[in-house]
Amino acid sequence: MALQIIPAAVVVIGLILYTLLAGADFGAGVWQLSAGGGAHARAIRDHAHHANAPVWEANHVWLILVITVLWTAYPQVFGAIFSTLAIPIFLAALGIILRGMSYALQNAANERQRRYIDLSFAAASIMTPYMLGTVIGAIASGRVPPGNALGAEVGSWTGPTSIIAGFLAVATGAFLAAVFLAADAERLREPLLVESFHGRALISGVVAGGLALGGLFVVRSDAPRLYDGLTSGWGLVPVVVSGVAGLVAMGLVVLRRFTAARVSAALAVAAVIIGWAVAQRPYLLPTTLTVEAAAASDTTLIALIVSLAVGAVVLFPSLVLLFRLTLAGRFDPTSQGPPSATAGAVSRERRKHAAQTGIGFFIAGFVLLTIAEPTVAHIFGLIFLGIAMLVGFRAVGPVELAQRPAPEVSGRSLREILRRPR
């Protein structure tokens, strides 16, 4: 049973990370659309554009992870979702492509062209999370039956739960973006931008909270089983956590403690997804297909888990480095890099020892998963692979690279590079 559950847990974690990171990315597009006109509006758009620049492509790694794991570990579920919900998934993919194209063209466009590009970017930033939200709502409300395209082509994703989930996805993305952008503006010492995103964070936080609360009433009438799971037992815990974290985030925004508000807002949004997963258990497709029944063979699951462990050793250090540099302001237009650090570097010997230890745990875990047959051996195999991943992260982690000072580039020259026509 442990083998069947692990890929589902990976899917949930991937959804959380995609919602938090790409959701904030989409939310920035919402604020670009509502910025208005004039010099200050252009400053808001430019701030959102430059804040997303280092990470906007990396965020979609998590969506690819979710799709790949779902396809490999639960092929029946993948087929049912992507056939019944082909329309909203296609529109979401179209939005991602349109958004990426618009983002790439912004640096090479003149002022008149940028107005149309900004509009295209913002429209795609709203359409994509809304469509993805309707997909989640369709699954959660039990409108996706097992089998190839057996659900209603349009009705499956236009029900009340899908609609509220779509609007909630847009609102939470806007809230996350406002909080994140306010923190970035504070780091850049841009008081006017701080004020702009402070107000937007408060408004979007109230809207997102209202939609989340109202969504419970919608779910009660449209998806009673999901409602029961969210309001009783373990499912109630993440609902309470989400509500408390959301209120704390709003309080921190009022106090203008945006860095702390980032964490609390992220927890509030993550708890919503965890609550859905807990309330829906043990079903992947409610009332029809459980995790155990939908899972692929043990051989496939073992190969998938081993691949994820190996890939994590490469992926996580890279992403940790990227986000550390981003949150530290190393990619800011005015950044000249922090002073070089002399402490905390991991020695070559310690890295070598960590690499050897990680290889040992990986081999032991692989053997226990593939050769040994008792369930307890599989459990220890998974534990050993987890240890190998953590130790491997220590061996190849980006500690030293993240502490190197950035090249000294003036804010003006960097802006010219970013805006230079190509």
Side-chain angles (χ1 to χ4, degrees):
M1 186 63 179
L3 289 178
Q4 287 81 15
I5 292 176
I6 289 175
V10 172
V11 169
V12 172
I13 293 171
L15 283 174
I16 290 172
L17 292 172
Y18 186 70
T19 302
L20 295 179
L21 301 174
D25 198 358
F26 293 133
V30 174
W31 299 128
Q32 286 185 304
L33 179 65
S34 62
H40 184 59
R42 174 49 60 196
I44 290 175
R45 293 189 180 96
D46 286 343
H47 179 57
H49 177 78
H50 293 309
N52 288 331
V55 298
W56 70 280
E57 289 182 295
N59 292 335
H60 294 296
V61 166
W62 304 113
L63 182 60
I64 296 170
L65 173 69
V66 169
I67 293 173
T68 303
V69 173
L70 189 65
W71 184 1
T72 307
Y74 312 105
Q76 286 181 275
V77 176
F78 178 88
I81 292 173
F82 277 74
S83 59
T84 293
L85 302 176
I87 294 176
I89 291 174
F90 170 78
L91 292 175
L94 183 65
I96 291 173
I97 295 170
L98 180 62
R99 190 174 181 278
M101 181 180 67
S102 300
Y103 190 92
L105 289 174
Q106 288 187 32
N107 289 329
N110 58 39
E111 191 62 30
R112 181 181 177 183
Q113 292 169 335
R114 282 199 65 175
R115 286 198 295 268
Y116 297 105
I117 292 172
D118 286 341
L119 179 61
S120 172
F121 179 81
S125 297
I126 294 173
M127 180 177 73
T128 301
Y130 178 82
M131 289 301 166
L132 292 175
T134 64
V135 169
I136 298 298
I139 297 170
S141 58
R143 289 183 167 86
V144 182
N148 187 28
L150 296 182
E153 188 174 332
V154 176
S156 59
W157 57 278
T158 55
T161 302
S162 288
I163 293 173
I164 196 71
F167 283 120
L168 184 61
V170 176
T172 54
F175 175 56
L176 290 171
V179 174
F180 291 2
L181 290 171
D184 289 339
E186 187 175 55
R187 187 184 67 243
L188 291 169
R189 296 190 177 95
E190 296 281 359
L192 293 180
L193 290 176
V194 171
E195 289 301 316
S196 296
F197 286 106
H198 173 258
R200 284 167 168 78
L202 292 176
I203 293 172
S204 58
V206 170
V207 173
L211 286 172
L213 184 62
L216 287 175
F217 294 97
V218 173
V219 169
R220 183 174 64 177
S221 59
D222 187 53
R225 189 185 181 284
L226 178 64
Y227 176 81
D228 291 341
L230 289 171
T231 55
S232 61
W234 286 107
L236 183 60
V237 175
V239 172
V240 173
V241 169
S242 179
V244 173
L247 291 175
V248 171
M250 291 293 288
L252 291 171
V253 170
V254 171
L255 296 174
R256 299 173 187 275
R257 298 183 61 182
F258 299 113
T259 301
R262 276 175 163 172
V263 178
S264 189
L267 177 60
V269 175
V272 172
I273 299 175
I274 295 173
W276 163 52
V278 173
Q280 188 170 295
R281 75 187 195 287
Y283 295 99
L284 288 177
L285 297 179
T287 72
T288 56
L289 203 57
T290 64
V291 173
E292 191 170 3
S297 66
D298 287 355
T299 303
T300 300
L301 295 178
I302 290 171
L304 174 64
I305 293 168
V306 171
S307 299
L308 290 173
V310 174
V313 175
V314 178
L315 175 65
F316 283 119
S318 304
L319 291 177
V320 167
L321 173 60
L322 175 62
F323 283 101
R324 282 183 62 179
L325 294 176
T326 302
L327 294 176
R330 298 284 291 276
F331 296 128
D332 291 343
T334 56
S335 174
Q336 295 185 16
S340 58
T342 58
V346 181
S347 69
R348 182 183 298 273
E349 284 300 318
R350 292 177 64 185
R351 284 183 179 272
K352 181 180 178 181
H353 177 71
Q356 293 171 342
T357 304
I359 292 172
F361 274 107
F362 175 79
I363 293 173
F366 181 80
V367 170
L368 288 173
L369 270 175
T370 57
I371 297 178
E373 298 205 3
T375 302
V376 66
H378 291 170
I379 293 174
F380 276 101
L382 293 171
I383 293 173
F384 287 172
L385 284 178
I387 295 174
M389 181 183 70
L390 295 176
V391 176
F393 179 88
R394 178 70 171 172
V396 301
V399 177
E400 293 165 341
L401 182 57
Q403 291 175 341
R404 294 177 186 171
E408 294 190 3
V409 181
S410 69
R412 181 179 177 183
S413 64
L414 184 54
R415 284 196 182 96
E416 291 172 354
I417 293 172
L418 291 173
R419 297 180 180 176
R420 184 182 301 162
R422 300 179 183 180

